[in-house]
Amino acid sequence: MIVANTYHLYLRPGIDVIEKMGGLHRFMAWDRTILTDSGGYQIFSLAHLRKLSDEGVVFRSHIDGSQHLITPELAIQFQESLGADIIMVLDECPPYTENFEEIKQAMERTHKWAERCQRSQTRNDQALFAIVQGGISPELRRKSASFLTSLGFAGYAIGGLSLGEPKALTQAMVEETVTLLPEDKPRYLMGVGSPEDIVKGVDRGVDIFDSAFPTQIARKGAILTWRGRFNIRNSTYSQVGDPIDPDCDCYTCRNFSVAYLHHLFRCEELLAYRLTTLHSLSFMNNLMNKIRGAIINGTFNSFRDSFLANYRSSDEKLRLTQR
Amino acid sequence: MIVANTYHLYLRPGIDVIEKMGGLHRFMAWDRTILTDSGGYQIFSLAHLRKLSDEGVVFRSHIDGSQHLITPELAIQFQESLGADIIMVLDECPPYTENFEEIKQAMERTHKWAERCQRSQTRNDQALFAIVQGGISPELRRKSASFLTSLGFAGYAIGGLSLGEPKALTQAMVEETVTLLPEDKPRYLMGVGSPEDIVKGVDRGVDIFDSAFPTQIARKGAILTWRGRFNIRNSTYSQVGDPIDPDCDCYTCRNFSVAYLHHLFRCEELLAYRLTTLHSLSFMNNLMNKIRGAIINGTFNSFRDSFLANYRSSDEKLRLTQR
C-alpha cells in the first residue's frame, strides 16, 4: 500500500491535473492499494497562517504563500477525484498540549467534521476511515473512539500522537484507544514508524501503520537490520566487503557490499539513496511478513520477545538527528 | 560499457579499497565491459595547483587539497589494480590554445608517457589504448597519430578536443585524425556526446564514444527524443498525458506520462532524475543499435541523413545552460 497526501497533491500538481490524468493509480502507475490522507495533519504542521472555524480551515501554502480553503466536504471531494482505495476524514490536529479544554475542542470539531465527511461521500468504492483524536487524555480518547464508532466507518485511525509527547504516553494512549475500536474493522496507527514501534503496535492490536521513516532514514545513510539500525556513512564501514545482511534477498544485498554503499554516500551519488531505500523497504516488508506469519501460527508473543531482544532500539538523540 | 575514472576512484574510495573489494567489476556489480580513463583529463580540469614535469604530475585533490603524484607508471599500476577491460595511457591535456609551441610540447610529453605506459604494463588481459593529442593543429594531429600508431596499441583515442574550440574545428580535427588511425583497431572519440555528434562521428569512422551527456542533461530535465531535445520542466508539459515517446520501450515510457515526470521535477523528487536518466540511456542504446544495424545493412548514409533531418540540434546557449 502507498500513502499519498491530499494537501501535497492539492498544491502540486493540483487535484484537477491528477483527475485529468486518470486518477492517482494511473498517474503514478501503481495498481495496488493507495490510501490518501485528508491533509489535516499537514495543514496543521506545514501550512502557514491557519484560520480555523467550524466551517473549515483557511491556510497559506508552505510553497508559495497562496491562500486556500479546505472543508470536510472539499477534503472528500478531492479524495474522490484522486480515487484512492482508502480515504480519510478531515480532522483537526492541534500541536501537543496538556490543556484539556484545547484537546476537547479539537476533538469535538473533529467529530463534527467526521459526520460531514461521511454525509458528503458520493462514491461507494472507497473505504472512508475516521480519525480518533483526544490528545493525551484517556477520557477524551474513550469519548472519541465511542462517538466515531457509533457513526460506523469502514476503518478507524488513531491520530494526534507522536507530536512530541513522551514515548510511554504515546503507547499508553494507543493501548487506551485500540481496545475501544471494533475488532472487525481495520485499526490504523498514523505516522508510526520504526520497527520496534510497529511490533509493539501490533501487540496492542493495530493492523495498519504508515510512515516515511524507512525511506527518510535511508536517505541519510541509516540502515535497518534485525540487530538494529546503523549508519553506513561511518568510516568503520569503508572496507566491509559483505552485504548489509547476507540473508536479505533485496536487490541491494544481492549485489553490493557495505563498502560500495559507503562510497556512494561519501560521493553523494543518487544511487546511494536508492539502494539503501530499497533495502529498508524490503526490510519492512520482511518484518510485516514475519509478523503476519507469527500471528497466523499463533506464535506472535515469542516472535515479539525475540525481535525486541535482538533489535537494539535507537536512543532519542539518534531518532531526532536522523529524521 | 561503463567508463570509470582513475582520478576519481584514486581519491575516493582509494585504489586499494577497490582492489581489496575484488576489483571494479565486483565492487559495482557490473560484469560487462568497463573502461577506465587514466585520469589525465581530470588532473588537468579538476585538480588544483598542478606541477608538471617529464616525470609526471604533482597535483592537489579538488576535494580536500591533499597533494598527490601521478606518473605514467602509476596510472597503469592503478588501472591494473582496478581491473577494467580497457585502460588508457596517461596524457597531458592542456586547455584550449592556438599556441603551436604549447600544443607541440604537450603532444611530445604525451608520446613519451604513452611509451612508458606501454612498457610498464604487466597484465596481458587488459586492452591499452593510446590517446592522440595535437590540439587544433592538423600537422600535429597527423604526427601524433602516426607516432602512436607506430608503437602498436590495442586501440586509439582522440583526446584534447571539445575544450572550447568552435564546433566546426572539432569536427575537422576528428576527420583529420580518424583517417590516420588503423582501420582494424577501435577508434575512440573521448567525451562525445550528443546524438547528433555521435552520428557525425560514426560517419567519420569513430567506433567508441563516451560521455556523461545523457545522464547529465536528464538530471536537469532535458529529454532526448528522435525530434530533438526538450525540457520537461517547462510548464507546457504539466498536463500531457502521453509518455515521452509512445514508441519507446523503456521503463519510463511504458509506465509514466510526461505530466507525471514534470510533477516529479517540480517537487524535486529523486525519482525524477532516475526516470529521465533511464529514458535517456535507453534512447542512446536505441540510437547505437540503429547505427549498427544501418552499417550492417549498408544503409548508414540514408540513416544519417534522415536522423539529422529530424533531430533538431540544440543551440549553443542551451548546450551550455543544460550542462
Side-chain angles (χ1 to χ4, degrees):
Chain A
M1 181 163 87
I2 285 183
V3 175
N5 190 283
T6 306
Y7 171 81
H8 288 297
L9 295 175
Y10 166 81
L11 294 178
R12 276 190 318 206
I15 305 292
D16 56 322
V17 171
I18 295 178
E19 195 172 16
K20 259 190 211 163
M21 295 298 125
L24 200 48
H25 285 90
R26 180 142 170 231
F27 190 55
M28 57 182 185
W30 178 257
D31 61 6
R32 300 170 74 173
T33 313
I34 298 176
L35 180 153
T36 41
D37 191 8
S38 63
Y41 180 78
Q42 282 68 30
I43 289 170
F44 288 91
S45 58
L46 284 179
H48 303 307
L49 291 169
R50 286 172 298 277
K51 222 180 121 187
L52 190 62
S53 69
D54 285 343
E55 171 60 13
V57 202
V58 174
F59 63 93
R60 287 190 183 274
S61 156
H62 71 287
I63 301 167
D64 62 6
S66 57
Q67 200 172 29
H68 303 275
L69 165 74
I70 194 157
T71 63
E73 290 76 15
L74 281 172
I76 295 300
Q77 184 190 310
F78 293 155
Q79 291 183 90
E80 292 194 338
S81 297
L82 293 173
D85 307 282
I86 302 175
I87 62 177
M88 305 299 297
V89 299
L90 184 70
D91 59 337
E92 183 184 340
C93 300
Y96 172 57
T97 172
E98 296 178 15
N99 182 315
F100 185 85
E101 216 31 62
E102 277 179 43
I103 302 174
K104 186 161 171 262
Q105 276 175 23
M107 181 198 76
E108 283 170 352
R109 189 172 274 143
T110 295
H111 291 177
K112 284 182 201 141
W113 286 1
E115 283 189 282
R116 281 165 59 190
C117 283
Q118 202 175 37
R119 276 202 302 273
S120 67
Q121 204 184 0
T122 65
R123 283 177 64 160
N124 58 12
D125 58 345
Q126 294 180 298
L128 176 61
F129 281 25
I131 304 174
V132 176
Q133 290 287 348
I136 53 161
S137 156
E139 181 194 330
L140 295 178
R141 285 279 162 189
R142 281 192 296 271
K143 265 204 177 142
S144 187
S146 128
F147 176 78
L148 292 169
T149 306
S150 76
L151 295 179
F153 284 88
Y156 298 90
I158 304 170
L161 288 176
S162 299
L163 297 174
E165 75 279 3
K167 215 161 171 113
L169 205 51
T170 318
Q171 280 154 12
M173 284 305 113
V174 171
E175 202 152 339
E176 196 67 50
T177 313
V178 164
T179 49
L180 298 165
L181 297 173
E183 279 220 342
D184 61 342
K185 295 285 167 64
R187 299 183 283 200
Y188 165 26
L189 181 53
M190 301 182 89
V192 170
S194 67
E196 65 269 39
D197 289 349
I198 286 180
V199 170
K200 288 174 190 165
V202 170
D203 192 28
R204 287 174 174 82
V206 178
D207 304 297
I208 303 177
F209 303 85
D210 86 280
S211 180
F213 173 85
T215 48
Q216 216 167 25
I217 66 163
R219 289 186 178 183
K220 299 200 173 160
I223 307 272
L224 299 173
T225 74
W226 299 103
R227 285 175 299 130
R229 190 206 297 194
F230 74 96
N231 198 301
I232 204 156
R233 290 178 307 180
N234 192 307
S235 57
T236 329
Y237 302 117
S238 66
Q239 301 197 23
V240 175
D242 294 324
I244 296 167
D245 176 356
D247 298 326
C248 177
D249 60 353
C250 81
Y251 174 75
T252 305
C253 289
R254 276 187 286 112
N255 288 286
F256 305 102
S257 63
V258 166
Y260 183 66
L261 299 172
H262 173 85
H263 169 62
L264 294 178
F265 267 101
R266 285 293 172 106
C267 296
E268 295 175 22
E269 277 292 333
L270 294 188
L271 188 57
Y273 314 119
R274 177 170 153 72
L275 291 181
T276 42
T277 300
L278 279 175
H279 170 78
S280 288
L281 290 179
S282 173
F283 178 87
M284 296 307 293
N285 275 342
N286 287 337
L287 174 65
M288 298 316 284
N289 281 337
K290 279 177 198 250
I291 289 175
R292 274 191 286 268
I295 292 174
I296 290 167
N297 297 333
T299 55
F300 178 77
N301 286 356
S302 71
F303 170 81
R304 174 202 62 206
D305 293 345
S306 126
F307 174 83
L308 293 175
N310 287 307
Y311 190 90
R312 193 172 51 79
S313 292
S314 307
D315 57 32
E316 209 60 31
K317 196 184 142 211
L318 190 66
R319 277 178 185 278
L320 296 173
T321 55
Q322 289 188 353
R323 276 273 160 173
Chain B
M1 181 165 86
I2 285 183
V3 175
N5 190 283
T6 307
Y7 171 83
H8 287 298
L9 296 174
Y10 166 81
L11 293 178
R12 275 191 318 208
I15 305 292
D16 57 322
V17 171
I18 295 179
E19 195 172 17
K20 258 191 213 163
M21 294 300 124
L24 201 47
H25 285 91
R26 182 145 167 228
F27 189 55
M28 57 181 187
W30 177 256
D31 61 6
R32 300 172 75 173
T33 313
I34 298 177
L35 180 153
T36 42
D37 191 5
S38 62
Y41 180 78
Q42 283 67 32
I43 289 169
F44 288 91
S45 57
L46 283 179
H48 303 307
L49 291 169
R50 286 172 299 277
K51 221 178 121 187
L52 191 61
S53 68
D54 285 343
E55 169 61 13
V57 202
V58 174
F59 63 93
R60 287 190 182 276
S61 156
H62 71 287
I63 302 166
D64 62 5
S66 56
Q67 201 173 29
H68 304 274
L69 164 73
I70 194 156
T71 63
E73 290 75 17
L74 281 171
I76 295 300
Q77 184 190 308
F78 293 157
Q79 291 182 87
E80 292 194 337
S81 297
L82 293 173
D85 307 282
I86 302 175
I87 63 177
M88 305 299 296
V89 298
L90 184 70
D91 59 337
E92 182 183 338
C93 302
Y96 172 56
T97 172
E98 297 178 14
N99 183 314
F100 185 83
E101 216 31 60
E102 277 179 43
I103 301 175
K104 187 163 171 259
Q105 276 175 24
M107 180 198 76
E108 285 170 352
R109 189 171 273 142
T110 295
H111 291 177
K112 283 182 201 143
W113 287 2
E115 285 188 281
R116 282 165 60 192
C117 282
Q118 202 175 35
R119 277 201 302 273
S120 68
Q121 205 185 357
T122 66
R123 285 178 62 162
N124 58 13
D125 58 344
Q126 294 180 301
L128 176 62
F129 281 26
I131 304 174
V132 176
Q133 289 287 347
I136 53 161
S137 156
E139 182 194 332
L140 295 178
R141 285 279 161 189
R142 280 193 296 272
K143 265 203 179 144
S144 188
S146 127
F147 175 80
L148 293 169
T149 305
S150 76
L151 295 180
F153 283 88
Y156 297 90
I158 304 171
L161 288 176
S162 298
L163 296 175
E165 74 280 3
K167 212 153 175 120
L169 206 50
T170 318
Q171 279 154 13
M173 285 305 111
V174 170
E175 203 151 338
E176 196 67 48
T177 314
V178 164
T179 49
L180 299 165
L181 297 173
E183 279 219 343
D184 60 342
K185 295 286 166 63
R187 300 183 283 201
Y188 165 25
L189 181 54
M190 301 183 88
V192 170
S194 66
E196 64 269 40
D197 289 348
I198 285 180
V199 170
K200 289 174 191 165
V202 169
D203 192 27
R204 287 174 174 82
V206 178
D207 304 298
I208 303 177
F209 303 85
D210 85 280
S211 180
F213 173 85
T215 48
Q216 216 168 24
I217 65 163
R219 289 185 178 183
K220 299 200 173 161
I223 307 272
L224 299 174
T225 74
W226 298 103
R227 285 177 300 129
R229 190 205 297 192
F230 74 96
N231 199 301
I232 204 156
R233 291 178 307 182
N234 192 307
S235 57
T236 328
Y237 302 117
S238 66
Q239 301 199 24
V240 176
D242 294 324
I244 296 167
D245 175 357
D247 297 326
C248 177
D249 60 353
C250 82
Y251 175 75
T252 305
C253 288
R254 275 186 287 112
N255 288 286
F256 305 102
S257 63
V258 165
Y260 183 65
L261 298 172
H262 172 87
H263 168 63
L264 294 178
F265 267 101
R266 285 293 171 105
C267 297
E268 295 175 22
E269 278 291 334
L270 295 188
L271 188 57
Y273 315 119
R274 177 169 154 73
L275 291 180
T276 42
T277 301
L278 279 176
H279 170 78
S280 288
L281 290 179
S282 173
F283 177 87
M284 296 308 292
N285 276 341
N286 287 336
L287 174 64
M288 298 316 283
N289 282 337
K290 279 178 199 250
I291 289 176
R292 274 191 286 268
I295 292 173
I296 290 167
N297 297 332
T299 55
F300 178 77
N301 286 355
S302 70
F303 170 80
R304 174 201 61 206
D305 293 344
S306 124
F307 174 83
L308 293 174
N310 286 307
Y311 190 90
R312 194 172 50 78
S313 292
S314 307
D315 58 32
E316 209 61 29
K317 195 185 142 211
L318 191 65
R319 276 179 187 278
L320 295 172
T321 54
Q322 289 187 354
R323 275 274 160 172

